[in-house]
Amino acid sequence: VQLQASGGGLVQAGGSLRLSCAASGRTFSNNGMAWFRQAPGKEREFVAGITWNGGNTYYADSVKGRFTISRDNVKNTVYLQMNSLKTAEAAVYYCAAALRAVPSTHEAEYRYWGQGTLVTVSS
């Protein structure tokens, strides 16, 4: 079972990136999914989550209105569209599959994690 995150890179402040997380080895169509991020010297934090069918989404207050999480259960892929990026949002972004159909802000509620994709935001 593998979650493969991709789409990170270098972007200027104010720019946009779209992250993808492709699952292989099993389907996660019944699981909530989420994106977390970890900046250097900081703890990993919840960014966005989506329920099993995409019917509900959840966001950290800091990214509301700028980030959008979505999923395609046919492709077994989750996306994170990030707009108006800030320099402080440079981090390694991780996707994760929740134990339940609804995502959580707590890391302990996730069983499978992707390897992370690096987002660098320049000023």
Side-chain angles (χ1 to χ4, degrees), residues 3 26 28 30-36 44-46 48-52 58 71 95-114:
L3 295 176
R26 58 158 285 181
F28 289 101
N30 295 321
N31 299 80
M33 300 291 292
W35 288 93
F36 288 75
R44 190 155 54 183
E45 63 176 355
F46 173 84
I50 188 167
T51 53
W52 69 278
Y58 309 86
R71 67 188 297 163
C95 59
L99 294 169
R100 300 184 298 173
V102 179
S104 168
T105 60
H106 301 291
E107 292 185 40
E109 295 293 324
Y110 294 84
R111 180 177 181 182
Y112 297 105
W113 291 84

Side-chain angles (χ1 to χ4, degrees), residues 2 10 22 32 40 45 50 65 74 82-83 123:
Q2 188 176 18
L10 174 64
E45 63 176 355
I50 188 167
V74 174
M82 306 186 295
N83 298 329
S123 58

Side-chain angles (χ1 to χ4, degrees), residues 54-121:
N56 291 91
T57 56
Y58 309 86
Y59 298 95
D61 288 343
S62 60
V63 307
K64 282 181 182 176
R66 298 185 298 116
F67 288 16
T68 302
I69 187 171
S70 60
R71 67 188 297 163
D72 184 335
N73 283 345
V74 174
K75 295 182 178 179
N76 222 13
T77 301
V78 178
Y79 306 95
L80 183 67
Q81 177 67 44
M82 306 186 295
N83 298 329
S84 302
L85 279 161
K86 305 175 181 179
T87 56
E89 293 177 315
V92 177
Y93 283 71
Y94 299 90
C95 59
L99 294 169
R100 300 184 298 173
V102 179
S104 168
T105 60
H106 301 291
E107 292 185 40
E109 295 293 324
Y110 294 84
R111 180 177 181 182
Y112 297 105
W113 291 84
Q115 85 289 359
T117 184
L118 178 63
V119 173
T120 304
V121 185

